[in-house]
Structure formats: C-alpha cells, structure tokens
Amino acid sequence: MWREWKIEWMKVQRRGIGLLVFLFWGVTALWSTWVLHGVPKSQLEDGFRMMIFQLPLMDTILMPTMLAMTASRLCDMEVKGNTLKLLCTMERKEHIFDIKLLTGVCYLTLFVVMQMGMMVVQGALYGFVGSLQPRQFFFFFLQIYVVSVGILLLQVILSFSFENQILPLAAGLFGSFMGLFSWFFPKGFLKKCILWSYYSDLCFMINDWDREAGTVTYYDAPFDFLSLGILLIIVAAGYVAGKKYFLRKEL
Amino acid sequence: MKYLVETNSLCKQYGNKFSVKNLNLKVRPGCVYGFLGPNGAGKSTTMKMLLGLVKPTLGEIQIFGKEIREKNRMEILRATGSLIESPSYYGHLSGRENLQIVQTLKGAEQKEIDEVLSIVRMEGQQKKKVRDYSLGMKQRLGLAAALLGRPKLLLLDEPTNGLDPAGIQKMRELISDLPKHYGITVIVSSHLLSEIDQMAEDVGIIDKGRMIYQGSLRKLHDKAKGSIHIHVMNPAAAISVLREQKEDYEQNGKVLIVPEREDIRLAELIARLAGKGAQITRVVEQQKSLEDIFLKLTGKQVSL
C-alpha cells in the first residue's frame, strides 16, 4: 500500500489541488477579515465564539464546491486517461479507492488546519479576549472535518462514476445550496437526512441578536453527540456501499 | 507446461446474452497468438477476463499453469503486461513520468524505463507531456508501459487501432520481434485478418463469443488451398468420369469444381475427361484467400 501511496503523490503533481485548497482558504480568510472589520471593538472581545459560528457558515457554502473540485481533480485523471484498466492489473482495486479518498482527506486536513491557524492569527490581530479553549477547538475540528469527509467520500464516488465531471461538480454546487438553506431548517429529522446540513446541525454556538442595541452575543451550546453519531454511521455506511459499488463496477 | 494461457469453458453473460461462450483458449509459450474476430465478437471481454478486469460467469483461466483466483491474481499478473482497447496514460505528466509510475508499481528497475523507451523508439519524446502526443505515440507509450517489468506474457487488444499506416507497420514489427528477441509470449487481438497474418504464428478465430477455429496459421493457410474449375460442354460425361475416379467434386452448371492437385495428376484427369467426350472448353485455377476461409467460418465479411 505504501508503494501505491507514493505513486498517488507522483500522479497529483501539476494537478493544482494544493493551489485550489489555498485559494479556497484565501477566500475564507478574506471573507472572515471583512466580517471582523465590520464588528464593533466591544464585540470583538468575544471573537473566538463569533468565528466558531461564522466559519462553519462559510464552510457550508465553500466546502462542498472545494471538495467536489478536489475529488474531480483526483479521479478524472484516471477516468479520462483510461488508467483504471492498467492500474487494476498492478494494484488491488480496493486500494485505488482508499488511496484516492485518503489523498483527498490529506488536502481536507490541510485546509482545516490552515483555517484553525487563521482563527488563532486573527484572534491575535484583532485582540480577541482570552484564548481558544481546547474543547472549542476540538469540537470545531470535529464539526468541519467529519461532515467534509462524508462529502468528499460522496464526491469521490460520483467522480469515479461519471466520465463527464460536470455532474459531480453540479452535485457540489447543489450541496452548497442545500447546506446554506439548512441553516434555516429547524433542528430535527430533516436536518439529519441531508449530508450538507450537518455543518449547521453540529454547530455548538448560539447567537442572540439584540435588535435595539444592534449587538450579537454568542453562547456555547452542548455539542450534539447524537447528530455526530448518526453522521458517523452515514459516513461509514457510505464508505462500505461506495467501495462495494466501485469494486463491482467492471472496466 | 504445454500452454502458457489456457481457458476451460470460459463464459461471460450480460443479461440474457452471452458475450463469450464456452471458450477454450490455448496459447503456446513463446509465440504470437492472433486473436481474430469481427467487432463485438468477444475479444476484448476475453482479454479483460484473462486480466481479471471482468469476472467470468463460468469457466476457469490458467496462466503460467496456475488457475487465476482473487488471491493469486496480482502475483500472476505481475509477470504480464497489457494494453487493452485505448492506451492508458496521465495526460498532465510526461511520457517518462508515466513510465515511472508503472515501473514503481511493478517494482521494476529504473534502468528498464530507458530500455523500453528504446524498444518503442520514443527516447526523443519522453519529456513531452502525454496529452501532446499523437495517438500513435500514446499507443507506443502504452506498449512501453506493458513491457516494463520484463513480462513473460503480453496482452494487446487491437494495438494498431487508430494508427496511421506508418504507425501500424512500426507496431507490427515491434510485436513480431517480441518473442524472438525478448522471449515474450504475445496475445494480440484484431479484427483485421491481414494484420494477424503478418504477426501471428497461432490464431484463434472468435465469432459471437464462440471459438470457431484455433490452430496454427499455417494450417489455416493450407485450408485456403485453391480449387480447379473445369468448364465443359458435356457435364454428364464429365460427371461419369469423376464418379468412376471417386473424385470429390461440385457441379455449378457446366462448371465442375475439383480440389487442387499436382500438375501430373491434373493432366491425367483432363486427358480422361477429354477421352470420354466431356468437351473441355477451359480449365481455371481458383485460389481461395484467407478472407474466403474467414467468411466461410463466420459468415461475415472481414476487414482487409
């Protein structure tokens, strides 16, 4: 498997996936900086809570598209180059699927780590009071990471299934819209049925907008472990089903 | 080991239709085996089954004397190379980088890349991105990739598809040389009879998923021996002579068709026919081509 892993990184050179991840991170960096600029200094003290609320919202919009593009860049070189027939005579088909997913997860990890780093840097620059609690840091990571892995898995399956990558990319855009609308859905069954809505479902910050004072106050809410559990089951089931489908598909 | 590749009652069924039915392929070591058949005959499906890319519905496959199973598939395939349908490549990488990927996956030595590039005569284009290659160059790169790891068996599915005449000639020469120079057994499929005729020693003809001829190409050529057409004015007299001589013949109006023979035996027959009043007007030798044989076997016109 190590050999296949090494090969995968040889294959992704000049695919521009790192640049893609960096560009999307740049968009979130600019967007969050613009948001912070418009916030009164008094509210910036609670900046970490605000960022933990705002960043998942931005990720809901940007991440499905970024993950669709990443999966497409990873998989379409195999589909378009007709290479699966060749690879399957040299490596196990299940390894091809796992390594594609794992490579995508590496880029995703890079993005999430860069985003968390950005939060810390912005905290220092804008004078957020106090430090980010490890508990908040960890839950934020779980919230973004697990949902994104699920979306990436779906996108890898779609990108392997279609020669024309427009469909997987359209699925990514559809996901962005669904995820955004889901922020307005009430917490309940509907949210649990839509993969992209877990960004909002797992959100552990509540905001209270005081219309008269024009201020927003953020509060910690308990982390929804039930939703996380359901999501993990969905991702695990999706992985088993997706891999089975990929393995059964004749070349 | 008598055969390097052997299949027993190999079948592949899609829905109600058999793409390959009861195929018994037998490939001798060290030869170029031409796998011939019209488009859609089941050649590619058979080759994919040999490589484990398609799961057979029934039957068994033996390569290098070992029955292919999921457990030992990779181990057996490590000693094979393949080029199935269109060439496989990463367009954003150079030819050499593409070969490096295959070389690493096969666990071959780095220096083999230069060797295979030289075999396919592509040393000059190795640094160019593959998306800028012509189809012929992509096919040659595919062959180079298949040759990495010094395979004992090479499976080439229609390797000259889409090539220009010069490219076809180059590819044919390369394939024909492989058993002689490198000891590689080659299975090459084509729907072009003339192509197989130029490259192969053994041939398997497949039609509608069934093997309709398998054996040496020389024997097939023997089958293609011609016939003698004797035009006569008096067929009744001629037929009585042929029956008397216990000759195999066919009658087509005033033309009697007998098998080709040595000149002396033909002269004797003509003298007898003339003596019995058959009134011979013409004696014509008709040569049967390989295409006629193919047509007779498959009922389809073959591409030339």
Side-chain angles (χ1 to χ4, degrees):
Chain A
M1 189 110 167
W2 173 248
R3 190 182 285 172
E4 285 107 314
W5 176 245
K6 194 177 138 194
I7 289 297
E8 193 59 34
W9 291 100
M10 275 169 81
K11 287 194 277 187
V12 296
Q13 56 179 313
R14 293 199 286 277
R15 292 297 285 169
I17 307 174
L19 180 68
L20 177 88
V21 169
F22 188 77
L23 282 175
F24 271 87
W25 174 81
V27 172
T28 55
L30 286 173
W31 192 347
S32 54
T33 307
W34 173 73
V35 169
L36 288 170
H37 262 300
V39 175
K41 262 213 160 160
S42 58
Q43 281 184 44
L44 274 178
E45 289 180 0
D46 207 14
F48 281 123
R49 281 199 174 83
M50 186 179 83
M51 290 300 282
I52 285 172
F53 184 83
Q54 295 287 346
L55 282 176
L57 186 62
M58 291 175 203
D59 286 344
T60 307
I61 298 165
L62 298 171
M63 204 71 117
T65 308
M66 185 190 89
L67 294 171
M69 289 171 82
T70 304
S72 173
R73 299 293 289 168
L74 284 171
C75 302
D76 80 333
M77 60 178 162
E78 313 291 357
V79 179
K80 282 185 184 158
N82 211 8
T83 52
L84 286 173
K85 280 184 315 208
L86 178 69
L87 292 179
C88 287
T89 63
M90 298 182 291
E91 59 178 300
R92 295 200 175 277
K93 208 173 172 186
E94 53 262 45
H95 288 181
I96 299 173
F97 184 85
D98 287 344
I99 283 173
K100 284 288 170 201
L101 188 62
L102 216 60
T103 312
V105 167
C106 281
Y107 283 112
L108 171 66
T109 310
L110 174 73
F111 180 87
V112 178
V113 168
M114 275 162 61
Q115 199 169 53
M116 289 167 92
M118 176 189 83
M119 209 176 352
V120 174
V121 171
Q122 282 175 331
L125 289 175
Y126 286 89
F128 298 169
V129 173
S131 58
L132 191 62
Q133 294 168 23
R135 179 188 162 275
Q136 289 174 329
F137 221 57
F138 178 65
F139 286 153
F140 173 79
F141 179 80
L142 272 185
Q143 180 190 3
I144 303 301
Y145 202 67
V146 181
V147 189
S148 302
V149 168
I151 295 171
L152 178 71
L153 170 69
L154 174 73
Q155 290 299 148
V156 166
I157 297 166
L158 289 174
S159 288
F160 266 136
S161 305
F162 297 98
E163 199 168 330
N164 187 342
Q165 293 296 307
I166 291 288
L167 272 159
L169 292 174
L173 288 172
F174 170 79
S176 291
F177 282 111
M178 283 306 289
L180 186 59
F181 287 136
S182 74
W183 280 87
F184 304 102
F185 293 167
K187 214 164 165 59
F189 180 72
L190 185 63
K191 269 197 167 186
K192 308 248 183 300
C193 296
I194 304 164
L195 181 60
W196 302 276
S197 71
Y198 279 88
Y199 284 119
S200 59
D201 204 37
L202 289 176
C203 188
F204 58 100
M205 278 301 153
I206 309 170
N207 67 345
D208 181 21
W209 182 41
D210 186 335
R211 191 188 289 258
E212 284 172 20
T215 55
V216 186
T217 316
Y218 294 92
Y219 304 99
D220 280 348
F223 189 78
D224 190 346
F225 284 102
L226 177 69
S227 282
L228 179 70
I230 294 170
L231 177 62
L232 284 170
I233 291 167
I234 292 172
V235 174
Y239 171 74
V240 173
K243 195 165 164 180
K244 203 171 174 184
Y245 167 73
F246 179 74
L247 292 178
R248 284 183 65 172
K249 204 177 163 199
E250 287 185 341
L251 302 165
Chain B
M1 180 179 33
K2 197 175 173 192
Y3 299 110
L4 200 78
V5 178
E6 193 173 0
T7 69
N8 287 317
S9 307
L10 193 65
C11 298
K12 180 66 195 176
Q13 193 175 6
Y14 290 108
N16 295 325
K17 207 183 154 226
F18 275 94
S19 180
V20 173
K21 197 166 186 185
N22 293 326
L23 194 84
N24 297 312
L25 194 77
K26 290 178 197 317
V27 182
R28 289 184 300 116
C31 76
V32 176
Y33 181 97
F35 199 29
L36 183 67
N39 289 325
K43 303 183 295 290
S44 297
T45 309
T46 304
M47 289 188 132
K48 285 179 183 174
M49 281 195 281
L50 294 179
L51 290 167
L53 301 174
V54 167
K55 210 174 166 189
T57 310
L58 272 173
E60 64 172 47
I61 299 167
Q62 285 193 15
I63 298 182
F64 310 132
K66 289 178 192 162
E67 189 183 339
I68 285 228
R69 295 184 183 280
E70 197 44 47
K71 273 186 195 167
N72 63 3
R73 191 176 80 91
M74 296 316 296
E75 182 204 324
I76 292 171
L77 292 184
R78 211 159 282 147
T80 68
S82 59
L83 178 57
I84 301 294
E85 291 164 340
S86 43
S88 304
Y89 60 89
Y90 296 101
H92 64 289
L93 300 178
S94 70
R96 192 177 184 86
E97 286 167 336
N98 269 271
L99 292 177
Q100 271 168 346
I101 286 173
V102 179
Q103 170 249 323
T104 311
L105 279 174
K106 281 192 171 178
E109 287 177 44
Q110 183 90 19
K111 64 174 185 189
E112 276 192 47
I113 294 177
D114 294 311
E115 283 173 26
V116 295
L117 278 168
S118 140
I119 293 172
V120 299
R121 293 157 218 161
M122 279 192 68
E123 301 97 320
Q125 295 93 14
Q126 57 175 301
K127 285 182 183 160
K128 214 167 141 184
K129 278 187 186 163
V130 178
R131 64 166 166 245
D132 299 325
Y133 279 13
S134 67
L135 181 60
M137 283 157 73
K138 284 176 188 160
Q139 289 280 48
R140 273 153 61 204
L141 182 74
L143 182 61
L147 288 170
L148 280 167
R150 304 181 207 276
K152 289 187 212 157
L153 173 69
L154 207 57
L155 288 105
L156 307 172
D157 187 17
E158 310 242 5
T160 57
N161 253 4
L163 301 188
D164 58 26
I168 289 173
Q169 197 50 43
K170 260 186 201 168
M171 187 62 93
R172 281 178 190 163
E173 283 167 14
L174 283 171
I175 293 168
S176 306
D177 285 349
L178 293 173
K180 268 182 278 167
H181 294 128
Y182 306 99
I184 300 171
T185 305
V186 185
I187 302 179
V188 57
S189 80
S190 178
H191 61 279
L192 301 168
L193 182 56
S194 55
E195 187 164 273
I196 294 296
D197 199 17
Q198 286 176 48
M199 288 188 288
E201 294 144 52
D202 289 355
V203 67
I205 301 178
I206 184 174
D207 187 40
K208 292 175 192 153
R210 289 171 188 271
M211 188 74 92
I212 50 174
Y213 175 83
Q214 184 166 229
S216 75
L217 200 62
R218 190 178 47 77
K219 278 188 185 157
L220 195 68
H221 272 288
D222 287 345
K223 280 196 174 193
K225 268 186 181 163
S227 54
I228 307 293
H229 290 219
I230 307 168
H231 296 245
V232 293
M233 298 286 285
N234 185 355
I239 287 168
S240 75
V241 172
L242 293 173
R243 280 185 182 157
E244 207 176 278
Q245 297 289 312
K246 291 181 181 162
E247 286 276 358
D248 277 340
Y249 73 94
E250 276 176 53
Q251 186 188 357
N252 186 7
K254 288 185 174 180
V255 182
L256 295 156
I257 306 161
V258 293
E260 197 181 51
R261 64 206 53 215
E262 286 170 37
D263 287 355
I264 183 77
R265 287 190 54 220
L266 181 62
E268 283 168 12
L269 179 65
I270 289 167
R272 261 193 208 107
L273 288 168
K276 292 280 180 180
Q279 294 177 298
I280 298 165
T281 56
R282 261 173 298 158
V283 177
V284 181
E285 187 185 7
Q286 287 270 311
Q287 274 298 331
K288 228 191 223 175
S289 65
L290 272 184
E291 282 71 38
D292 294 327
I293 296 286
F294 191 87
L295 189 61
K296 204 174 166 189
L297 288 168
T298 65
K300 279 181 193 157
Q301 194 66 54
V302 69
S303 308
L304 292 170

